[in-house]
Amino acid sequence: MQFPSAIVSPMVAPLRLAVVGLGRMGRVHALHADELSRETGLCELVAVSTLDRGQAEAFLSQASTKIPVFSSIQDLADARICDAVVIATNTSLHEEHATLMLKAGAKVFLEKPLSGTLNGDRSFSGYLQAHHPDDIMLGFQRRFDEPLRFAKEMLDGGAIGRLFRVYSALEDSAPAPNGYNSTGILPDMAIHNVDEVLWLTGSLPASGFVLGSNLHSHRLTTCREDFDDAMLILDFGNEDGKGLLAEIQVSRNHVSGYRGETILYGEKGQIRVGRFNANPREVIVEAFGPRDHAELLVSRSFLTRDYHEALPEFIDRFGAAYKEELRVFINACLARQGFPVTHLDALRAQEIIAAAMTRVLSTKDMAPIAYSKA
Ligand SMILES: NC(=O)c1ccc[n+]([C@@H]2O[C@H](COP(=O)([O-])OP(=O)(O)OC[C@H]3O[C@@H](n4cnc5c(N)ncnc54)[C@H](O)[C@@H]3O)[C@@H](O)[C@H]2O)c1
């Protein structure tokens, strides 16, 4: 199942694409760009940019063509050799790098988040809305993930009736690496879940709060983050008394391996998406009816891509979705059509997280429990 894409005239292809940043995320975008150029002819990877010579050499040794490596993004912009660019540099550099390439006339695919802070996102998004409202796509790959898209199709088709609760979990098996710059576990990780929940429900929450804890992995890294485990509760309840609650769980402590699960609770059944079998390469989507018709309505298995090399665990789970979002970006650039995910989606998710972060509970805020003496 592919994301519906614009009809592209072969007259305008190929799109000249560059990738900036070749770290955990950028390298995989560059690999996909190289593959898409060979598989579709719709793009051509014309350059990469990184500060790390070793990363560049490792990528070039695998790439199908020899391309220039820019250690300065300014030089890449001045060279005017690309129509579009993927930016996967550190979050603190997103605004500077995206702005530079937009001013040079390139369409931009920007990894999430916009800036990582509410004020930063508001100001960057304000600039984009004023000067480049249609020139930037944001990297929320869950919207392009086949298992999640299949679940959404069933939900939208009424398979489980009215939705009243969404559980969305994203749990890493280890802390963010040494040197990684995070503005907090929620803006860094839960931004994916918040966007997913808004996309699945088609609604905006009215209120929220956070329960944050430091339980384990914060001791194992020099990356300073507010929490290593957090739960974000969002209330979408409406005035006619029909409730809808989202529970978002993010963690850096799921030591047995990356965990991503989504469970949709409806009045007539449930849909769940996750790796429920022992096979880490298999994502399962299951839908169940109500207890009196408890049979499994649907069970479908999706095998994730094996890249035959050690890659970050989020690539193991979402590899195909990252490639699909890039394909959609390329097609939209060529067809001169709007992007399906923009800075406004990123801003919205950040606003929700920032508002909920004004109510952070910790274990200290919990009610003490008094036990009877036996
Ligand atoms: N969508 C996802 O699931 C996902 C997953 C991980 C990271 N990310 C996002 O991707 C971005 C990058 O994260 P990462 O983990 O890949 O970081 P990383 O530290 O592994 O890589 C950063 C890259 O940026 C390059 N870089 C830094 N300054 C540069 C400059 N001035 N010019 C050219 N290159 C420069 C570095 O050389 C490196 O290649 C972050 O914004 C992060 O939030 C998204």
Side-chain angles (χ1 to χ4, degrees):
M1 190 195 329
Q2 282 201 324
F3 197 84
S5 46
I7 296 164
V8 174
S9 157
M11 299 297 289
V12 291
L15 185 82
R16 296 173 307 160
L17 191 61
V19 175
V20 182
L22 286 181
R24 296 188 309 164
M25 203 56 244
R27 192 172 151 250
V28 168
H29 284 311
L31 172 77
H32 291 156
D34 192 34
E35 288 176 353
L36 286 167
S37 113
R38 279 183 276 120
E39 290 162 9
T40 68
L42 293 177
C43 68
E44 185 190 352
L45 182 61
V46 292
V48 287
S49 174
T50 173
L51 299 182
D52 186 324
R53 194 69 225 172
Q55 285 178 345
E57 277 160 17
F59 174 69
L60 289 180
S61 70
Q62 290 186 316
S64 60
T65 48
K66 282 273 160 280
I67 48 170
V69 178
F70 289 83
S71 56
S72 150
I73 187 171
Q74 182 69 59
D75 290 348
L76 172 67
D78 292 345
R80 304 272 162 165
I81 55 171
C82 59
D83 310 307
V85 64
V86 173
I87 295 181
T89 52
N90 313 71
T91 298
S92 57
L93 298 169
H94 283 185
E95 180 168 1
E96 179 195 332
H97 289 173
T99 306
L100 191 67
M101 294 310 298
L102 287 165
K103 282 185 175 162
K107 298 279 184 189
V108 168
F109 177 93
L110 179 65
E111 256 311 332
K112 53 54 68 174
L114 279 175
S115 74
T117 68
L118 179 61
N119 286 342
D121 276 24
R122 281 193 169 146
S123 123
F124 184 19
S125 184
Y127 167 81
L128 292 169
Q129 201 52 21
H131 301 282
H132 300 281
D134 303 320
D135 296 335
I136 188 161
M137 176 163 160
L138 260 287
F140 285 124
Q141 82 281 357
R142 287 175 176 233
R143 297 194 194 200
F144 304 89
D145 179 59
E146 225 186 328
L148 284 168
R149 289 179 63 78
F150 179 57
K152 179 165 165 51
E153 249 171 47
M154 282 195 285
L155 174 70
D156 292 347
I160 58 166
R162 189 187 76 82
L163 182 74
F164 59 84
R165 182 168 162 225
V166 183
Y167 172 81
S168 174
L170 168 55
E171 303 196 323
D172 285 351
S173 66
N178 291 337
Y180 186 79
N181 216 335
S182 167
T183 53
I185 194 168
L186 292 171
D188 192 63
M189 292 182 80
I191 196 131
H192 284 293
N193 308 75
V194 171
D195 183 69
E196 176 195 54
V197 167
L198 301 192
W199 167 66
L200 286 169
T201 63
S203 316
L204 288 172
S207 57
F209 74 90
V210 173
L211 175 66
S213 319
N214 274 307
L215 300 175
H216 165 57
S217 72
H218 63 283
R219 297 187 201 94
L220 311 176
T221 178
T222 61
C223 169
R224 287 286 143 253
E225 223 171 24
D226 47 3
F227 307 114
D228 63 22
D229 198 288
M231 183 163 259
L232 166 63
I233 309 290
L234 298 174
D235 181 22
F236 294 72
N238 49 27
E239 280 153 15
D240 61 8
K242 289 188 171 167
L244 171 59
L245 202 74
E247 296 172 7
I248 290 174
Q249 173 75 65
V250 284
S251 173
R252 308 270 194 199
N253 296 324
H254 200 263
V255 296
S256 62
Y258 190 68
R259 173 173 176 256
E261 282 173 25
T262 300
I263 308 177
L264 304 170
Y265 295 75
E267 289 178 354
K268 294 184 183 154
Q270 278 180 13
I271 302 170
R272 59 179 196 156
V273 182
R275 294 195 284 200
F276 304 117
N277 281 350
N279 179 2
R281 295 224 162 274
E282 187 181 22
V283 180
I284 296 174
V285 182
E286 289 175 329
F288 298 88
R291 189 175 176 203
D292 45 354
H293 300 279
E295 70 273 16
L296 188 61
L297 298 175
V298 173
S299 176
R300 201 168 140 190
S301 156
F302 298 80
L303 289 183
T304 61
R305 174 172 171 180
D306 187 349
Y307 287 82
H308 301 290
E309 62 177 307
L311 288 171
E313 55 194 1
F314 44 85
I315 312 282
D316 288 340
R317 166 63 183 86
F318 285 109
Y322 294 122
K323 187 167 175 180
E324 177 63 2
E325 68 181 351
L326 187 58
R327 193 188 68 79
V328 169
F329 171 71
I330 291 164
N331 279 342
C333 288
L334 289 172
R336 296 194 168 82
Q337 291 196 341
F339 298 120
V341 193
T342 73
H343 55 287
L344 297 177
D345 296 295
L347 174 64
R348 191 115 312 148
Q350 180 66 257
E351 283 178 332
I352 290 167
I353 287 172
M357 289 285 291
T358 62
R359 292 267 196 292
V360 179
L361 305 183
S362 74
T363 48
K364 290 196 288 295
D365 302 303
M366 294 184 179
I369 301 172
Y371 292 97
S372 311
K373 294 208 170 55

